Amino acid sequence: MRIILHVDLDYFYAQIEERDNPVLKGRPVVVCVYSDRGGGSGVVAAANYISRRYNVKAGMPVKTAEKLLKDFNPVFLPVRLNYYEIVSEEVMNIIKGYGDVFEQASVDEAYLDVTRRLNGDFSEAAGYAFKLQADVYLKTGLTCSIGVSYNKLLAKIAAGYRKPNGVTVIAPGEAESFLKTLKISKIPGIGVKTTRILESKGYKTVGELQSIPVEELMSFFGRKTGLYIYNAARGLDEEPVKPRGPVLQHSRIKTLRENTRSLEYILSELEPLISDLNRDLTSEGLSFKTLTVFFITVDLKIHSKSVTFEHRFNSLNPVRKEILKLTESFLSENPYSVRRVGLKVSNLLCERGSGQVKLTFF
Ligand code: DGT
Ligand code: CA
Ligand code: CA
């Protein structure tokens, strides 16, 4: 029997914006991908829970969200993908430390196999999940929801059950009854199309789905999908938590103890980030070619400065001078004080064993 956790950050993009700018708290916050055609057209990428009360959802046109929220003092913000990816890595680095095996599944979710570190004692798992949740909040100011179960499928379903800031456990023996009342669309991998077909045949809940013989499901959806649906409806899943291949970039970010425009102060605050990144490079045997320094100014804008070298480096120690130059050049171009700083190394190569690092999950 395994013990698996699924961690999913709550209203991820919107929560980051809210955390960074507390005056947004209590208002509907909608993060939008505006189309380059202009005129304010685009789609909603993330909506905080207040805006969801008024039926705003990811994927809907911004115009629709504007109509739904017009009387409720909403805030519409453009996406800042690069920034969310750095925050993602910051959070993932914390989560990673809690698993025997860690698998990042998207920008804001990850699986952990914690069987060994809990000595296979399932009764310890809920407390462990609360500890992880509190640690993420303490270190980043962000809330997440965690599902605890004995396979990946059930852990993911559980994580989505109580949100935001929830912990939900599906213990051995509880799966069938837990699943019975859920809507079919709550099963990962059963998309809009499949749900529609099943609903047109009169099946709405997972309990009803459980009554369909496997042969029938395979004839509706093909062998592979049919079998997947049959097993998923019963909470059966054997997929291991897989450690991901090498990543394309490593980054670190921190909030300065005080807002500043002092070059020396910024450089001193970057030192712990340099040590952390050096540790990543050494432990994974990586070298980098591109270095980026990020600055988040007090007006909450993110700025970056990069340099790509002719040669590879397996430590940031030899490029401190470049970090200084990039920082200097940023300060000369921007009038605002700096509130957070970050460092990223990319264009990575694994010097151990084989070839160019290719894998990514974004
Ligand atoms: P949650 O988990 O229900 O509290 O809310 P989110 O916003 O974290 O939703 P999730 O986990 O499905 O997606 C994570 C992030 O991915 C989300 O904050 C923004 C982005 N995202 C999700 N759906 C869409 C979409 O339809 N379009 C775009 N552009 N981005 C999306
Ligand atoms: Ca999420
Ligand atoms: Ca997610």
mmCIF file of all heavy atoms in Angstrom, residues 8-12 108-109 163, ligand 2:
data_model
loop_
_atom_site.group_PDB
_atom_site.id
_atom_site.type_symbol
_atom_site.label_atom_id
_atom_site.label_comp_id
_atom_site.label_asym_id
_atom_site.label_seq_id
_atom_site.Cartn_x
_atom_site.Cartn_y
_atom_site.Cartn_z
ATOM 1 N N ASP A 8 -2.039 20.980 -5.129
ATOM 2 C CA ASP A 8 -2.438 21.911 -6.191
ATOM 3 C C ASP A 8 -2.608 23.296 -5.575
ATOM 4 O O ASP A 8 -3.358 23.468 -4.614
ATOM 5 C CB ASP A 8 -3.753 21.427 -6.831
ATOM 6 C CG ASP A 8 -4.145 22.262 -8.048
ATOM 7 O OD1 ASP A 8 -4.364 23.478 -7.885
ATOM 8 O OD2 ASP A 8 -4.240 21.703 -9.142
ATOM 9 N N LEU A 9 -1.901 24.275 -6.114
ATOM 10 C CA LEU A 9 -2.004 25.638 -5.602
ATOM 11 C C LEU A 9 -3.378 26.209 -5.936
ATOM 12 O O LEU A 9 -3.905 25.944 -7.012
ATOM 13 C CB LEU A 9 -0.919 26.520 -6.228
ATOM 14 C CG LEU A 9 0.479 26.509 -5.600
ATOM 15 C CD1 LEU A 9 0.444 27.173 -4.232
ATOM 16 C CD2 LEU A 9 1.095 25.148 -5.506
ATOM 17 N N ASP A 10 -3.937 26.986 -5.023
ATOM 18 C CA ASP A 10 -5.264 27.565 -5.226
ATOM 19 C C ASP A 10 -5.179 28.793 -6.144
ATOM 20 O O ASP A 10 -4.236 29.580 -6.036
ATOM 21 C CB ASP A 10 -5.853 27.981 -3.879
ATOM 22 C CG ASP A 10 -5.977 26.780 -2.934
ATOM 23 O OD1 ASP A 10 -6.350 25.690 -3.401
ATOM 24 O OD2 ASP A 10 -5.660 26.937 -1.732
ATOM 25 N N TYR A 11 -6.177 28.933 -7.001
ATOM 26 C CA TYR A 11 -6.304 30.057 -7.974
ATOM 27 C C TYR A 11 -4.944 30.681 -8.280
ATOM 28 O O TYR A 11 -4.728 31.869 -8.104
ATOM 29 C CB TYR A 11 -7.338 31.088 -7.504
ATOM 30 C CG TYR A 11 -7.130 31.798 -6.181
ATOM 31 C CD1 TYR A 11 -6.788 33.155 -6.141
ATOM 32 C CD2 TYR A 11 -7.305 31.144 -4.968
ATOM 33 C CE1 TYR A 11 -6.609 33.839 -4.949
ATOM 34 C CE2 TYR A 11 -7.115 31.815 -3.765
ATOM 35 C CZ TYR A 11 -6.768 33.152 -3.765
ATOM 36 O OH TYR A 11 -6.589 33.809 -2.580
ATOM 37 N N PHE A 12 -4.077 29.869 -8.842
ATOM 38 C CA PHE A 12 -2.640 30.129 -8.800
ATOM 39 C C PHE A 12 -2.232 31.530 -9.289
ATOM 40 O O PHE A 12 -1.668 32.314 -8.535
ATOM 41 C CB PHE A 12 -1.896 29.039 -9.566
ATOM 42 C CG PHE A 12 -0.414 29.108 -9.424
ATOM 43 C CD1 PHE A 12 0.167 29.190 -8.163
ATOM 44 C CD2 PHE A 12 0.425 29.091 -10.530
ATOM 45 C CE1 PHE A 12 1.547 29.243 -8.013
ATOM 46 C CE2 PHE A 12 1.802 29.142 -10.391
ATOM 47 C CZ PHE A 12 2.362 29.217 -9.145
ATOM 48 N N ASP A 108 1.337 24.353 -11.458
ATOM 49 C CA ASP A 108 0.919 24.533 -10.060
ATOM 50 C C ASP A 108 0.526 23.244 -9.357
ATOM 51 O O ASP A 108 -0.146 23.284 -8.342
ATOM 52 C CB ASP A 108 -0.213 25.569 -9.961
ATOM 53 C CG ASP A 108 -1.574 24.997 -10.303
ATOM 54 O OD1 ASP A 108 -1.641 24.047 -11.107
ATOM 55 O OD2 ASP A 108 -2.568 25.490 -9.749
ATOM 56 N N GLU A 109 0.941 22.084 -9.886
ATOM 57 C CA GLU A 109 0.609 20.867 -9.150
ATOM 58 C C GLU A 109 1.695 19.816 -9.201
ATOM 59 O O GLU A 109 2.507 19.784 -10.126
ATOM 60 C CB GLU A 109 -0.733 20.296 -9.599
ATOM 61 C CG GLU A 109 -0.822 19.926 -11.042
ATOM 62 C CD GLU A 109 -2.280 19.712 -11.442
ATOM 63 O OE1 GLU A 109 -2.985 20.716 -11.641
ATOM 64 O OE2 GLU A 109 -2.690 18.559 -11.561
ATOM 65 N N LYS A 163 -11.540 22.990 -1.665
ATOM 66 C CA LYS A 163 -10.682 24.057 -2.125
ATOM 67 C C LYS A 163 -11.323 25.382 -1.777
ATOM 68 O O LYS A 163 -12.543 25.464 -1.824
ATOM 69 C CB LYS A 163 -10.534 23.959 -3.655
ATOM 70 C CG LYS A 163 -9.188 23.432 -4.103
ATOM 71 C CD LYS A 163 -9.091 23.427 -5.597
ATOM 72 C CE LYS A 163 -7.671 23.215 -6.028
ATOM 73 N NZ LYS A 163 -6.759 24.318 -5.689
HETATM 74 CA CA CA B 2 -4.627 25.165 -9.011
#
